[in-house]
Amino acid sequence: MAPGHGPTTVVMDMQDFEDRFLPACPKPYPQRHGPATGFVKNVKALLSIPGHPSSPTQVDMADIFLDAINNHNLMDGHLGKTYHQDGKSTVKEPESLHIYSKEEADDSSADAAEEKRWWRVRMIIQIVDDGEQNDPFAHERQQEPLPRRLDAIREALITSAAHVFAYQHRFFLFSLYINGGYLRILRLDRAGIVVTKPINYLEDPTVLPRLLWRLAHLSNAQQGLDATATKLAEGSPDYTLMTELGKEDPLDIDSAEGTSVPPPPPTSLKPSRAESPSTSAPTASAASTSRVFTHVRRAYRQSLGRDWPRYRIKVGEEGREFLVAKPVVVSCDTLFDRDCKAYVAVDCATKHFVWLKDSWRPLGECSRPEGVVLAAFAGDKKMHVPTLVCHGYVHREEERVKEEERVKEEERVKEEERVKEEERDVVAQPLANGEEKAVQAGVKRAREDDQDASQPEQKKRMRQRVCPLPEYRHYRMVVKEVGLDMEYFGNGWQMVRMIFDCIKTHSRAYKKYGLLHGDISHGNILIHPTVARVDGKDVVVWHGMLIDWELAHAVHTSQAARTPSGYEPILSWSFASLERVSNPRAPTTIADEMEAFLYVLIWYAIGFLRHTLPSHAVGSFVEQFFDTFKRYPNGAVACSDFKTRTITNARLRHGATNEIMFYDDGKAPMHPLNGLLSELLKRFQARYAVKQWKERARDKPPSLLPQKTGDAATAERPVLRETQNLAASHSRPAVGATQYLQPPSAKTFDLARSVESHSAVIELFSHWVLKYWPMHDKVGNWLARCGYVYTRRFVDVPAGGDKSRVLDEKSATRRPTTRVEDEPQSTR
């Protein structure tokens, strides 16, 4: 697991670190702990050997640490094991010791499966022998590229910590970094790394043993483990239940659309009510009340295994419990920043399969908890969204205590203010007007003096509350439905129907609930198989389900109505509109979301259907259209020229002239998808043509604005001419300004307005979805065949001009030279 972007790192004094993150030890450190101080003396003696080819190495230091921990009780109740990386690195890697509790160390032997060791690690000790001058955590180096050796040390620790977080449910992880005769303590969590300044532990031989003793006597929660997640012992009733539920069941329902569902045995389900044979519209059926779709049990069974721990997890304030194993979806494989894992879980109360989402969200986001949004949709049968079971934030024990203290402090302050107000009123009442003013002024000065006197203490409390790293909140939500990934659609007609269902859901969320989704992407549209009654028979019917409403926000009627932060983050950059990418702090609009649906349509069409794009060019097309962005010297970002030209020319092309067409197995070019995409592209072409004209008209004096002349030729000119070369328009000279300020035609304005509301887009899809669609136009996963892996790429645009267009035009034959920055891969 790669560490990804460099994490935010904060350096603080050792004493401040201990005061902030290490609670008082319940078992005092034995001051006369001879073996402990003797171990430090052994390290000092080892390091004092003069340098020569046989000088002691970090391996020798690790052996001394292991002997002190395992044989001399340096970390009471814990044992250490040596861990070695995969050995693929070309530079010298640090020596790592993994610390386990004694109860779990027996299963963490060196010859045990690697996965079994990761889920038991309590702490990591990293040992190097480079000396103080080669410290990757040195404060002055934070903004500089690290040398390979130092980068390898830092990456080794972050990679190991990422593995620990992947296998365990925890909030943070402590680590010790031993660099010759110096040490640092680290605390790693989603926000970044807090690391102490280096201290020389050889000068005072009690420092290191005392710290290790203190770390060893922290409770599980104080060591970072999540108290709401209990690991199951192999052979326990819950563990056995999970194994049994993973076995195949002959009563499971095939998830394929159109599957005829036989009635269940009388002992398993109550018979459904008889329906009239003439009823053709699908209606809800009772046939699947407690039966399971095959894709659900298959996904659950794949999450089981002896190489991954199983947990009983509590969700919400009521503490409802669920059983989980390996996550089936991981949004990113890095340790830092926001993260989301999803599980096919077992509801302990009903023994039914459910979908459990476990996420870390930045505290400053303007979105509300996803469960609040889904709760608002509850009972609305026209909303194709997940059904909420329960949800809630996950709090650490100390967070609960701090929250209680905060509430008490607020109540105390309010009471003091109330008492002072009463005293002021009492003093003021019996006096004459002049005296009253004098006394009130004196009271006011006295209160100000009191505030001034208490400022140092207030500032101290404020410093204690300020967190040096960005804050993240841990959130869990459980929904009833376990969807099927969109890549399992059977043909293009099903794909378009699923997207169409989500557009209609998006429309209803906007019109009835005043919400925009905020994160339309290929992974947030799933297939939802249901059992419905059609012509008197139970059959499987598919609907598109719009998921991941965590960025949903209320429609902004004005800037004043926006949330305090005023920021709507972009998670799915590949599917964000041209406007959102260029202006990420602008409010999201319906047109932005409809444009994102267009990109989802293109993604699945290019990735899975028959088309004229050569198979070897699929990966290149996706990289340039979805993954590549321009970056300007001032930090501004824009979509690639290739994507921009696709919209502004309203043509889906490969190379300069080759238009991409979709067809069936007979290679007939009359595929309805060609018409649907053409109509959608024309609408968004018009959107940006009108937007460009309005921006230019706003910046020009009225004398340059065209007058209404009734010129029929101007009104009927092609839409393409209005937006030609839009990507390079800002670099044109001002000659002929009047020509560029000609307004778009009335037709162009109508097309642009059609994507500013849902009705026209829904009407367009309704028209094309009723056409004749081929049933054999899907050929598989082109992206998997070409080995595509999502990586966000930036092409830096030099100051003074846009040179990146040349690179893009030759993209079909030569990949442009870009500075690549990895972004966590998103699977949903």
Side-chain angles (χ1 to χ4, degrees):
M1 296 185 179
H5 292 101
T8 302
T9 303
V10 174
V11 181
M12 63 170 53
D13 292 330
M14 178 68 74
Q15 189 59 52
D16 291 340
F17 184 96
E18 292 188 57
D19 293 342
R20 185 176 182 85
F21 298 119
L22 299 182
C25 183
K27 188 176 181 180
Y29 170 70
Q31 296 296 329
R32 297 183 179 181
H33 194 6
T37 55
F39 130 80
V40 177
K41 293 178 180 179
N42 292 338
V43 174
K44 186 174 184 179
L46 184 69
L47 293 175
S48 64
I49 299 178
H52 55 77
S54 60
S55 295
T57 65
Q58 57 197 33
V59 177
D60 300 317
M61 293 179 61
D63 290 339
I64 296 178
F65 272 78
L66 278 179
D67 179 68
I69 293 172
N70 295 340
N71 299 327
H72 299 288
N73 204 30
L74 187 63
M75 296 188 69
D76 191 19
H78 293 73
L79 294 176
K81 305 280 184 179
T82 304
Y83 171 74
H84 297 283
Q85 300 282 352
D86 53 20
K88 297 180 181 179
S89 176
T90 59
V91 297
K92 182 181 179 181
E93 294 180 342
E95 194 75 7
S96 293
L97 303 182
H98 289 181
I99 306 301
Y100 311 89
S101 67
K102 284 185 177 180
E103 292 78 8
E104 298 175 330
D106 292 340
D107 293 328
S108 308
S109 57
D111 58 348
E114 179 177 327
E115 293 83 359
K116 279 197 169 186
R117 298 199 302 269
W118 284 119
W119 79 59
R120 292 173 168 83
V121 174
R122 293 299 185 92
M123 194 176 72
I124 296 174
I125 300 178
Q126 193 179 45
I127 301 175
V128 297
D129 55 3
D130 286 350
E132 183 182 11
Q133 71 279 8
N134 291 322
D135 187 347
F137 298 103
H139 181 68
E140 62 273 12
R141 294 182 180 271
Q142 292 302 309
Q143 303 301 325
E144 301 176 8
L146 292 175
R148 291 183 61 197
R149 163 63 171 160
L150 300 187
D151 186 60
I153 295 174
R154 190 184 185 96
E155 182 175 339
L157 174 62
I158 295 175
T159 301
S160 295
H163 277 88
V164 174
F165 276 81
Y167 283 87
Q168 300 180 19
H169 293 268
R170 63 166 54 243
F171 288 94
F172 56 87
L173 176 72
F174 285 118
S175 175
L176 251 65
Y177 173 71
I178 308 296
N179 185 2
Y182 293 85
L183 73 84
R184 295 178 185 262
I185 305 180
L186 292 84
R187 184 184 184 274
L188 303 95
D189 63 13
R190 294 289 173 190
I193 303 175
V194 179
V195 58
T196 65
K197 295 178 181 178
I199 62 172
N200 189 328
Y201 65 92
L202 300 179
E203 293 179 352
D204 183 354
T206 65
V207 171
L208 179 57
R210 180 183 59 79
L211 287 173
L212 291 174
W213 182 272
R214 192 170 181 180
L215 289 167
H217 285 88
L218 297 177
S219 66
N220 291 342
Q222 291 169 346
Q223 287 184 355
L225 291 171
D226 183 357
T228 65
T230 303
K231 189 166 60 178
L232 303 180
E234 189 170 347
S236 66
D238 283 342
Y239 194 101
T240 303
L241 172 64
M242 294 184 71
T243 302
E244 290 297 318
L245 290 176
K247 297 178 180 178
E248 294 185 3
D249 190 329
L251 294 179
D252 287 351
I253 303 172
D254 190 337
S255 303
E257 187 173 37
T259 300
S260 179
V261 181
T267 55
S268 63
L269 285 174
K270 295 180 180 179
S272 59
R273 289 190 300 176
E275 297 287 346
S276 171
S278 61
T279 302
S280 59
T283 58
S285 172
S288 62
T289 302
S290 62
R291 296 168 71 178
V292 178
F293 282 105
T294 52
H295 76 277
V296 177
R297 197 181 300 273
R298 180 172 59 249
Y300 170 77
R301 182 168 55 250
Q302 291 173 352
S303 73
L304 301 178
R306 299 187 65 182
D307 61 341
W308 204 275
R310 303 179 187 181
Y311 289 89
R312 175 185 280 257
I313 290 180
K314 295 181 180 180
V315 178
E317 294 298 329
E318 67 278 10
R320 189 162 175 174
E321 296 184 314
F322 302 87
L323 305 178
V324 301
K326 185 177 182 178
V328 297
V329 172
V330 179
S331 66
C332 93
D333 58 1
T334 61
L335 169 60
F336 307 104
D337 208 350
R338 62 180 303 133
D339 182 35
C340 178
K341 296 183 178 69
Y343 306 81
V344 179
V346 177
D347 189 337
C348 294
T350 64
K351 306 300 186 291
H352 291 170
F353 293 121
V354 292
W355 186 257
L356 190 151
K357 182 177 176 181
D358 185 289
S359 61
W360 288 85
R361 300 155 42 85
L363 186 62
E365 277 187 4
C366 65
S367 57
R368 68 199 73 190
E370 185 178 2
V372 173
V373 178
L374 295 182
F377 299 152
D380 191 337
K381 300 299 183 183
K382 295 183 180 181
M383 293 290 292
H384 295 297
V385 296
T387 304
L388 180 67
V389 175
C390 59
H391 73 113
Y393 285 105
V394 185
H395 300 286
R396 302 200 308 266
E397 290 184 2
E398 53 266 38
E399 286 179 341
R400 295 182 185 275
V401 174
K402 288 181 181 179
E403 181 65 16
E404 293 176 358
E405 293 177 349
R406 185 188 65 80
V407 172
K408 291 180 180 178
E409 179 68 12
E410 288 181 353
E411 292 176 350
R412 185 188 65 78
V413 171
K414 288 180 180 179
E415 179 64 19
E416 288 182 356
E417 292 178 350
R418 186 187 63 80
V419 171
K420 290 180 179 179
E421 188 69 24
E422 291 179 353
E423 291 177 350
R424 187 180 65 176
D425 293 341
V426 170
V427 171
Q429 283 177 1
L431 301 177
N433 291 338
E435 294 174 326
E436 178 180 338
K437 292 180 181 179
V439 173
Q440 286 180 339
V443 172
K444 181 178 180 180
R445 284 194 298 270
R447 290 169 65 187
E448 291 174 349
D449 293 341
D450 292 342
Q451 291 176 356
D452 293 339
S454 63
Q455 277 184 358
E457 185 63 27
Q458 291 176 351
K459 291 181 178 179
K460 179 180 179 181
R461 289 199 301 266
M462 187 178 297
R463 284 197 301 270
Q464 292 174 349
R465 288 195 299 266
V466 172
C467 181
L469 292 174
E471 294 187 53
Y472 285 76
R473 298 199 70 179
H474 191 190
Y475 176 76
R476 290 194 185 120
M477 182 189 70
V478 179
V479 296
K480 179 181 177 181
E481 294 81 7
V482 179
L484 180 64
D485 286 341
M486 267 286 286
E487 66 181 55
Y488 291 104
F489 67 82
N491 50 61
W493 179 62
Q494 286 181 334
M495 175 197 70
V496 171
R497 279 178 41 228
M498 300 303 103
I499 296 174
F500 185 27
D501 281 345
C502 293
I503 292 176
K504 290 185 289 187
T505 293
H506 189 278
S507 173
R508 188 168 179 82
Y510 179 85
K511 294 176 181 178
K512 183 175 180 179
Y513 302 96
L515 293 173
L516 284 173
H517 184 275
D519 188 28
I520 301 299
S521 68
H522 75 301
N524 288 342
I525 296 177
L526 297 181
I527 299 168
H528 178 211
T530 61
V531 176
R533 197 77 169 166
V534 181
D535 290 332
K537 297 180 181 179
D538 288 330
V539 297
V540 176
V541 176
W542 282 3
H543 294 287
M545 183 168 61
L546 189 56
I547 66 169
D548 284 1
W549 290 80
E550 66 179 65
L551 293 186
H553 50 272
V555 178
H556 306 312
T557 56
S558 68
Q559 284 296 108
R562 303 188 71 188
T563 53
S565 66
Y567 179 49
E568 299 164 9
I570 300 176
L571 293 189
S572 304
W573 284 83
S574 298
F575 299 90
S577 68
L578 302 184
E579 172 66 13
R580 282 284 283 148
V581 172
S582 299
N583 300 284
R585 292 191 174 273
T588 306
T589 64
I590 295 176
D592 293 325
E593 303 266 77
M594 294 301 102
E595 189 175 335
F597 277 116
L598 167 63
Y599 297 149
V600 172
L601 184 63
I602 293 175
W603 170 275
Y604 282 113
I606 292 293
F608 295 88
L609 299 184
R610 299 180 190 274
H611 45 64
T612 57
L613 180 66
S615 59
H616 64 82
V618 171
S620 175
F621 176 93
V622 172
E623 286 179 358
Q624 294 179 57
F625 191 93
F626 290 97
D627 303 348
T628 303
F629 299 85
K630 296 191 299 183
R631 181 165 49 196
Y632 294 89
N634 64 354
V637 177
C639 290
S640 67
D641 286 339
F642 179 57
K643 188 172 190 175
T644 302
R645 281 200 305 270
T646 299
I647 297 299
T648 57
N649 294 336
R651 294 290 188 271
L652 196 62
R653 287 177 174 169
H654 163 59
T657 58
N658 299 325
E659 190 160 0
I660 300 173
M661 302 294 290
F662 298 88
Y663 59 90
D664 60 13
D665 53 348
K667 295 190 176 181
M670 303 302 293
H671 198 296
L673 185 58
N674 295 322
L676 176 59
L677 283 174
S678 177
E679 293 288 344
L680 287 170
L681 287 170
K682 288 178 181 178
R683 282 160 170 76
F684 290 103
Q685 176 194 50
R687 178 196 181 192
Y688 289 102
V690 171
K691 178 180 180 295
Q692 180 193 51
W693 178 79
K694 288 182 177 179
E695 289 176 350
R696 291 183 175 182
R698 185 177 61 244
D699 297 335
K700 296 295 181 181
S703 60
L704 291 181
L705 296 180
Q707 304 298 319
K708 293 183 178 179
T709 60
D711 185 355
T714 301
E716 297 298 328
R717 70 186 187 281
V719 175
L720 178 59
R721 186 175 301 169
E722 299 164 1
T723 58
Q724 199 168 20
N725 297 325
L726 178 63
S729 61
H730 292 289
S731 62
R732 292 180 175 178
V735 179
T738 305
Q739 174 187 354
Y740 299 138
L741 291 175
Q742 291 295 326
S745 66
K747 180 180 179 181
T748 302
F749 275 105
D750 290 340
L751 288 173
R753 283 191 293 267
S754 70
V755 295
E756 294 175 356
S757 65
H758 296 87
S759 55
V761 178
I762 291 176
E763 182 180 355
L764 180 65
F765 269 82
S766 299
H767 170 76
W768 285 101
V769 81
L770 294 177
K771 298 287 186 179
Y772 171 77
W773 288 72
M775 293 292 102
H776 305 288
D777 55 353
K778 182 182 179 183
V779 294
N781 192 334
W782 289 112
L783 298 175
R785 294 178 187 178
C786 68
Y788 166 79
V789 176
Y790 169 57
T791 302
R792 187 154 53 133
R793 294 167 171 82
F794 291 96
V795 178
D796 288 325
V797 179
D802 188 347
K803 305 287 187 181
S804 60
R805 286 175 290 146
V806 177
L807 298 174
D808 184 66
E809 290 169 357
K810 298 181 179 180
S811 60
T813 57
R814 182 172 64 88
R815 188 172 175 178
T817 302
T818 64
R819 183 167 67 182
V820 177
E821 294 187 3
D822 295 336
E823 182 182 80
Q825 184 175 1
S826 176
T827 57
R828 279 184 102 75

